[in-house]
Amino acid sequence: MILWFLPLLGQAQDDTDVALEEYVEKLNDMCPIDYGGEWGFNSFTMVGNSYALVDLKLPANLSMFLSSFGTNEDNVKRMWINQLSQYGDQWNNLIDLIKDTGKRLILNLHPVGSSKTALITLLPTDFKK
């Protein structure tokens, strides 16, 4: 009896993966998305079936703080999750899909006018409150 449900579970996961890919494409089509004060999104990309990559535009003056704000420490991740949750339904819908698919979300922190960047890897478990 359990074997009968396995294809259904796989189909549900496939549907969620497709929904994530389509949503990432939709967000990318809207880019660049500006939130004022040099904050915004440059692009959204699915990298294979592994993770979503978000190129996050930051104010230029944050380039000198990338070594602090661009680490994978839990407190830094929480700070970015709190900051980005303020970007409304578009962002929150993306996070719901990330959690549903179990995919990673990679933030590419990109200060305006700087060649410096930093990557932060967010796991679905990082979004649990």
Side-chain angles (χ1 to χ4, degrees):
M1 184 82 133
I2 292 176
L3 293 178
W4 184 77
F5 288 108
L6 289 178
L8 295 176
L9 292 174
Q11 180 65 36
Q13 184 65 32
D14 290 342
D15 290 346
T16 308
D17 287 350
V18 169
L20 173 61
E21 291 174 22
E22 289 175 352
Y23 194 68
V24 167
E25 284 180 29
K26 176 183 169 184
L27 290 174
N28 192 58
D29 288 345
M30 297 167 56
C31 286
I33 302 170
D34 291 315
Y35 288 100
E38 297 183 312
W39 288 92
F41 297 106
N42 292 318
S43 66
F44 292 81
T45 310
M46 280 301 299
V47 179
N49 194 23
S50 301
Y51 59 90
L53 176 65
V54 176
D55 190 50
L56 181 63
K57 181 173 74 167
L58 304 177
N61 62 353
L62 291 183
S63 65
M64 66 183 86
F65 301 106
L66 276 183
S67 61
S68 298
F69 290 152
T71 68
N72 280 297
E73 296 175 16
D74 288 341
N75 59 339
V76 173
K77 288 181 179 185
R78 278 191 301 277
M79 177 195 70
W80 285 113
I81 289 168
N82 289 335
Q83 172 69 26
L84 296 171
S85 68
Q86 298 173 30
Y87 289 164
D89 288 341
Q90 292 171 333
W91 178 258
N92 294 324
N93 291 339
L94 175 63
I95 298 313
D96 289 342
L97 287 167
I98 290 291
K99 291 188 291 189
D100 290 346
T101 59
K103 305 287 186 214
R104 292 174 290 153
L105 179 69
I106 309 292
L107 295 177
N108 181 40
L109 307 178
H110 194 176
V112 172
S114 176
S115 60
K116 293 180 183 180
T117 62
L119 295 176
I120 296 179
T121 301
L122 299 173
L123 305 174
T125 54
D126 292 327
F127 294 101
K128 293 183 178 176
K129 295 181 179 184

